Amino acid sequence: MILSTYNKEDKVLLAVDCIIFGFLKDELKILLVKRDFEPEKGKWSLIGGFLKKVENLDKAAIRILHHLTGLNNIYMEQVYTFSKVDRDPAERTISVAYYALIDIATHDKELLKQNPIQWFNLKDAPKLIFDHNRMVEKAMARLRRRALSKPIGFELLPEKFTMRQLQKLYEAILDTKLDKRNFINKFNSFDILIKLEEKDMSSSKKGAYLFKFDQEKYNRKVEDGFNFKIRF
């Protein structure tokens, strides 16, 4: 009885699309793939695929990201579900969007040898197929909110970074200029960074001290009630 009832229902495809952000040379970037099949063949698209029967959505997103980039253990978060009836001209398709954060400096060579994929500055990215630009807008809004309430921005930085790099990252995410002194004071007050003896000598003769995010200390502070809230 149950099977016959299900057979009467419409069948639709369920896609997973990944908005992959990176950060390099003071610019927030997005990873796109050139579509190699119709419709919209030859145009730029988010990296995506379809849910398989044996997967949940998170597993599908992890598989799709790994298949097209070769990467594992990447920070990902579900953003929104897009279900407009005519969003995909080929077939009735619902898409669940995820965003992922990648440290380009560490993974770039591994990434770009995998597929016809390319990093674009987010502000200069080409128009995308279907409703993918809307997905990017939703993902950016979520990323901005999260960056102000959780230390996820460190996922976009190398393990060792300067305070200038950290400030430029937040300026790119928030799309606003931040006061240097206020920014440094804010992060110093959190007491979740480790100042290293090493310096980055690429920007000046004097150099800039390198820092690391202390994940273990942050976790302990959260257990004690610490709240990572940024207000500039």
Side-chain angles (χ1 to χ4, degrees), residues 205-220:
K205 291 183 179 180
K206 185 178 179 181
Y209 280 105
L210 290 166
F211 292 80
K212 292 175 65 176
F213 172 53
D214 193 333
Q215 181 71 61
E216 292 185 2
K217 188 172 187 178
Y218 170 76
N219 291 341
R220 292 196 302 268

Side-chain angles (χ1 to χ4, degrees), residues 50-68:
F50 291 98
L51 180 75
K52 297 183 181 298
K53 290 182 179 180
V54 296
E55 296 175 319
N56 61 31
L57 286 166
D58 288 353
K59 292 290 186 182
I62 291 168
R63 170 182 56 82
I64 290 164
L65 182 65
H66 176 76
H67 175 71
L68 288 170

Side-chain angles (χ1 to χ4, degrees), residues 49-102:
F50 291 98
L51 180 75
K52 297 183 181 298
K53 290 182 179 180
V54 296
E55 296 175 319
N56 61 31
L57 286 166
D58 288 353
K59 292 290 186 182
I62 291 168
R63 170 182 56 82
I64 290 164
L65 182 65
H66 176 76
H67 175 71
L68 288 170
T69 67
L71 299 178
N72 290 302
N73 301 319
I74 299 301
Y75 180 91
M76 300 183 74
E77 184 178 343
Q78 190 178 133
V79 177
Y80 196 76
T81 300
F82 295 80
S83 60
K84 189 176 178 181
V85 173
D86 59 350
R87 58 171 302 277
D88 187 332
E91 189 73 49
R92 175 73 171 102
T93 306
I94 295 172
S95 180
V96 179
Y98 281 73
Y99 77 82
L101 306 180
I102 289 176

Side-chain angles (χ1 to χ4, degrees), residues 30-202:
I30 187 169
L31 190 65
L32 303 176
V33 62
K34 185 166 283 191
R35 194 169 166 96
D36 61 358
F37 57 91
E38 296 292 354
E40 306 285 8
K41 183 177 180 180
K43 294 186 178 181
W44 291 99
S45 166
L46 296 174
I47 290 172
F50 291 98
L51 180 75
K52 297 183 181 298
K53 290 182 179 180
V54 296
E55 296 175 319
N56 61 31
L57 286 166
D58 288 353
K59 292 290 186 182
I62 291 168
R63 170 182 56 82
I64 290 164
L65 182 65
H66 176 76
H67 175 71
L68 288 170
T69 67
L71 299 178
N72 290 302
N73 301 319
I74 299 301
Y75 180 91
M76 300 183 74
E77 184 178 343
Q78 190 178 133
V79 177
Y80 196 76
T81 300
F82 295 80
S83 60
K84 189 176 178 181
V85 173
D86 59 350
R87 58 171 302 277
D88 187 332
E91 189 73 49
R92 175 73 171 102
T93 306
I94 295 172
S95 180
V96 179
Y98 281 73
Y99 77 82
L101 306 180
I102 289 176
D103 167 24
I104 297 178
T106 302
H107 297 298
D108 199 31
K109 290 182 180 179
E110 182 181 1
L111 272 171
L112 297 183
K113 72 181 182 182
Q114 298 291 330
N115 287 281
I117 57 180
Q118 183 176 330
W119 286 107
F120 290 89
N121 288 341
L122 185 61
K123 293 181 178 180
D124 303 323
K127 189 177 187 304
L128 305 179
I129 65 167
F130 308 156
D131 52 2
H132 287 194
N133 283 95
R134 180 63 177 150
M135 293 182 182
V136 175
E137 291 173 4
K138 285 278 190 182
M140 270 307 305
R142 176 70 63 84
L143 176 58
R144 287 185 180 119
R145 292 195 300 271
R146 286 287 188 266
L148 293 172
S149 61
K150 291 185 178 181
I152 64 171
F154 296 109
E155 301 287 347
L156 291 161
L157 292 173
E159 182 182 11
K160 301 175 184 179
F161 52 86
T162 65
M163 287 300 292
R164 180 189 180 279
Q165 286 176 303
L166 184 60
Q167 180 176 339
K168 290 298 181 181
L169 170 64
Y170 272 85
E171 289 180 340
I173 292 174
L174 302 176
D175 193 23
T176 190
K177 184 72 175 176
L178 300 173
D179 179 79
K180 178 180 178 180
R181 179 173 294 181
N182 288 343
F183 183 86
I184 292 175
N185 288 341
K186 173 62 70 174
F187 268 90
N188 283 340
S189 71
F190 289 152
D191 191 26
I192 55 173
L193 299 181
I194 302 171
K195 185 177 181 180
L196 306 176
E197 294 300 321
E198 304 172 56
K199 284 188 174 183
D200 174 17
M201 304 301 296
S202 62

